[in-house]
Amino acid sequence: MSLVNDRVLNRRRAWDEPPRPHAVGLVLGGGAARGIAHVGALQALEEQEIFPDVIVGTSVGALVGGLYAAGVSAARLRALIPTISWFDLVSLKMPGINLTDIAKSLPLGLLDLDKMIPWINSLVGSPVAIEELNLPFAAIGTDLLTGEIVVMNKGPLAPAIRASCGVPGVFTPYRRNGRLLVDGVVANNLPVNVAQDLGADYVIAVDLLPMNAGQEMERQAEPRNLAEVAMTALFMLARATQIEQALADVVISPAVAHINLADLTASEALLDAGYKAMVREISRIKADLMR
């Protein structure tokens, strides 16, 4: 594009009445068990009858967003949370170690997430394709070998969500369409631009890796085990390189840094944090959508 054309496209416009946004995008970031806060945020939106037209999610954001796009309401998601256990989703991936060839015998992750696939299918009723969902949806993964951001917006829903959730070193990668995929957090934790590419012209982003007023990463809960060490390090790196939140119209930042990344027992606190964070911005969102 020429410099002249670029200047023309970016000239300021003086509208008599600016057009209203007609497609609301919801972007849900990663954060492991802290993703329960996404459900509280969704519930706050539903209460105000604000429904997204496009959903994009990374990691646990892909899980919550994908289920919601498949018709699982915020109320049903909230009711499911007390019943969820890590044992429903993961299995140990530790084969017998061959000390003469240890490099080849070690697994690619401590835990396997493949149990998540039938679990998701059971919640939505049957295996479903992303293109069959109630609204446009994309799950974000990372190609471990090329570093590419992989936008999964076609094909079976459950495997795409599972691929998006594969924290490197903790969960095994997932092979999909010839790619070895790991957690989308590695490449793009808050994919606002993807939501815009899918047609959203007003984007609400929910960020579970918040910064404080001084624009520094908030002090995180101290990890309790190897898995939480790996998650904490990954999400700290993701926060340092996360840039697309600036593209969102509204960024919701629940106060969740003090809660351990694998702590499912803190569900009520997480739900409350997500709900309150969204409620604080509801007036602004409604004003934007009605202007």
Side-chain angles (χ1 to χ4, degrees):
M1 182 180 294
S2 71
L3 180 60
V4 173
N5 286 339
D6 187 52
R7 286 175 176 170
V8 169
L9 289 174
N10 287 286
R11 288 176 64 185
R12 297 179 63 183
R13 297 171 176 84
W15 294 86
D16 280 346
E17 183 177 353
R20 294 179 181 177
H22 64 273
V24 177
L26 180 64
V27 175
L28 304 178
R34 293 176 186 168
I36 293 170
H38 287 321
V39 178
L42 279 169
Q43 188 172 24
L45 286 175
E46 278 193 354
E47 287 179 359
Q48 298 298 317
E49 298 186 344
I50 299 172
F51 302 99
D53 301 291
V54 172
I55 299 180
V56 179
T58 295
S59 196
V60 70
L63 175 59
V64 175
L67 290 173
Y68 193 76
V72 183
S73 68
R76 186 180 171 206
L77 287 170
R78 182 168 189 140
L80 283 169
I81 288 170
T83 71
I84 298 173
S85 162
W86 282 112
F87 296 108
D88 297 325
L89 308 176
V90 304
S91 54
L92 191 63
K93 191 71 173 180
M94 289 296 288
I97 302 300
N98 178 358
L99 295 179
T100 63
D101 198 7
I102 191 169
K104 292 182 180 179
S105 61
L106 285 173
L108 297 180
L110 295 174
L111 302 167
D112 192 297
L113 264 180
D114 287 354
K115 287 171 67 175
M116 179 183 283
I117 295 174
W119 181 79
I120 292 171
N121 289 334
S122 71
L123 293 181
V124 300
S126 63
V128 62
I130 295 173
E131 55 268 33
E132 297 172 341
L133 298 179
N134 298 332
L135 58 143
F137 168 75
I140 304 302
T142 304
D143 188 314
L144 183 61
L145 304 183
T146 68
E148 290 175 288
I149 298 168
V150 179
V151 181
M152 295 172 280
N153 65 335
K154 184 178 180 180
L157 172 67
I161 293 174
R162 184 263 180 259
S164 182
C165 294
V167 176
V170 178
F171 303 121
T172 52
Y174 190 77
R175 297 188 185 276
R176 180 182 182 274
N177 295 345
R179 295 178 181 272
L180 188 64
L181 300 180
V182 295
D183 202 305
V185 165
V186 175
N188 194 346
N189 180 54
L190 210 63
V192 176
N193 192 254
V194 174
Q196 293 170 334
D197 287 345
L198 287 173
D201 52 11
Y202 185 87
V203 177
I204 303 166
V206 184
D207 181 7
L208 302 181
L209 307 178
M211 300 179 80
N212 60 29
Q215 292 302 296
E216 297 175 350
M217 188 169 184
E218 292 188 14
R219 182 178 177 85
Q220 303 296 295
E222 185 171 321
R224 302 166 299 181
N225 51 55
L226 178 59
E228 288 188 358
V229 168
M231 289 180 185
T232 301
L234 172 64
F235 290 124
M236 187 174 293
L237 177 61
R239 193 50 171 125
T241 59
Q242 182 172 289
I243 59 173
E244 289 194 18
Q245 69 266 35
L247 301 176
D249 294 276
V250 178
V251 178
I252 309 300
S253 299
V256 295
H258 63 289
I259 297 175
N260 288 89
L261 286 160
D263 189 0
L264 293 175
T265 67
S267 59
E268 286 302 318
L270 289 164
L271 286 164
D272 187 59
Y275 182 87
K276 287 181 176 177
M278 184 64 77
V279 166
R280 283 194 293 269
E281 299 294 338
I282 283 292
S283 295
R284 174 184 172 187
I285 293 169
K286 292 178 76 171
D288 286 347
L289 296 180
M290 293 301 295
R291 69 170 185 264

